[in-house]
Amino acid sequence: MLKQTIADGIYLYQFAPNPGGHFGFNILALTHEDKALLIDTAFEDHAHQVFTDLIKNDLKLDSVVISHFHPDHISGLKSLPPVPRYGHANAQITLDKWTAKEEHPHIVPTFEIGEKTKIQFGNFELVMIPLPGHSICTMIIDINGQFVHVADEIMTSNDGSPILPFITNTVQSHVKSLEALKHYCDYTMILGHGILLKGREKILTEINDRLSYLNELLAHDSKISVEVATAKCSCTFLHLELHEKNA
């Protein structure tokens, strides 16, 4: 586990990829006085390590915000004490597809977010914005107008190499979400998997490479190869096998 201080009271816990994979797992913690709010929980072992670190630093878990309800973002809830959980109003759709029904009571949101919603946590103003792209239940989270947690709309490896977009909603929705993220190019972007993204030019390049891939999928009526789909991109993506699921 690597713990990175992003700003005063903001910490990113980053975990290594599974064997044979390239993308790791991130959990974000906001802290105020003796309390902590988490954004995402990764898997159970990851969440347990983060919770242990909170206790070590005399912090009590106050609440959890879930960016979207895929197993690698919610499974850690099962190893955390029960606290208020914020999540997209479409969470149940994703849970029904990806998670065993008997697990749902532990991970369903206690506060469903269907429109832009602000909450205050200490000195932090969080704006939860439904933005179904990668998933039908994705939310991005604006933190104090300086940072934005973008879930899995953009993914990289832990060393910053781009990961091919993974579509579990629709190509059109993912395109729309990436276009919306252009409004946050002056923020620091916090990813569900990967590094922090900073700088307008860098962020626009990351977004436009993914848009190039997705728009190539939309431009063809029949299935195309990953080589054709990524030919206009300025980068080399990792996890090209995801194309078979996207196409």
Side-chain angles (χ1 to χ4, degrees):
M1 178 181 78
L2 175 65
K3 182 181 180 182
Q4 178 181 358
T5 301
I6 296 176
D8 187 26
I10 307 179
Y11 305 95
L12 183 66
Y13 295 87
Q14 190 173 66
F15 297 88
N18 291 329
H22 293 289
F23 59 87
F25 307 92
N26 292 343
I27 298 175
L28 187 69
L30 309 182
T31 65
H32 175 73
E33 296 179 347
D34 63 344
K35 295 181 180 179
L37 176 150
L38 298 182
I39 298 180
D40 289 344
T41 67
F43 288 106
E44 291 179 72
D45 179 59
H46 304 138
H48 176 72
Q49 291 183 58
V50 171
F51 186 60
T52 299
D53 188 66
L54 296 181
I55 294 173
K56 178 182 175 182
N57 287 281
D58 298 318
L59 292 165
K60 180 180 178 181
L61 183 60
D62 177 83
S63 51
V64 176
V65 177
I66 299 297
S67 69
H68 64 294
F69 283 74
H70 285 157
D72 55 335
H73 294 261
I74 60 172
S75 296
L77 286 168
K78 291 178 287 184
S79 63
L80 297 174
V83 294
R85 302 180 295 273
Y86 297 87
H88 196 291
N90 286 336
Q92 192 64 52
I93 297 173
T94 300
L95 290 173
D96 288 342
K97 182 176 180 180
W98 294 89
T99 310
K101 190 172 182 179
E102 59 269 22
E103 297 183 2
H104 292 188
H106 306 287
I107 52 184
V108 293
T110 48
F111 294 97
E112 295 187 348
I113 307 302
E115 59 185 16
K116 183 185 292 188
T117 301
K118 294 181 182 180
I119 61 171
Q120 196 73 30
F121 175 72
N123 297 323
F124 299 106
E125 181 182 78
L126 281 69
V127 184
M128 296 173 284
I129 305 165
L131 192 65
H134 162 75
S135 171
I136 197 171
C137 63
T138 293
M139 299 193 307
I140 62 171
I141 300 99
D142 179 327
I143 305 168
N144 285 355
Q146 297 177 284
F147 305 93
V148 60
H149 189 286
V150 301
D152 289 3
E153 304 311 297
I154 298 173
M155 298 186 291
T156 75
S157 66
N158 284 2
D159 64 4
S161 299
I163 303 290
L164 195 74
F166 180 29
I167 302 159
T168 67
N169 189 11
T170 67
V171 178
Q172 292 88 341
S173 293
H174 208 145
V175 167
K176 185 177 179 180
S177 72
L178 287 169
E179 291 288 357
L181 287 183
K182 290 182 178 180
H183 296 293
Y184 298 90
C185 285
D186 293 322
Y187 285 52
T188 295
M189 289 190 172
I190 303 167
L191 314 186
H193 304 279
I195 63 170
L196 301 179
L197 297 179
K198 302 179 182 180
R200 171 172 287 271
E201 185 175 346
K202 167 67 172 174
I203 290 173
L204 279 174
T205 298
E206 296 283 348
I207 291 173
N208 286 331
D209 277 331
R210 288 159 176 81
L211 284 172
S212 177
Y213 167 72
L214 296 170
N215 283 323
E216 282 298 318
L217 296 185
L218 291 175
H220 291 78
D221 294 330
S222 57
K223 184 175 180 179
I224 59 173
S225 69
V226 69
E227 290 78 16
V228 170
T230 60
K232 298 177 183 178
C233 299
S234 68
C235 67
T236 300
F237 286 108
L238 297 176
H239 281 291
L240 295 181
E241 75 280 0
L242 293 173
H243 178 71
E244 292 302 312
K245 300 177 181 180
N246 295 338

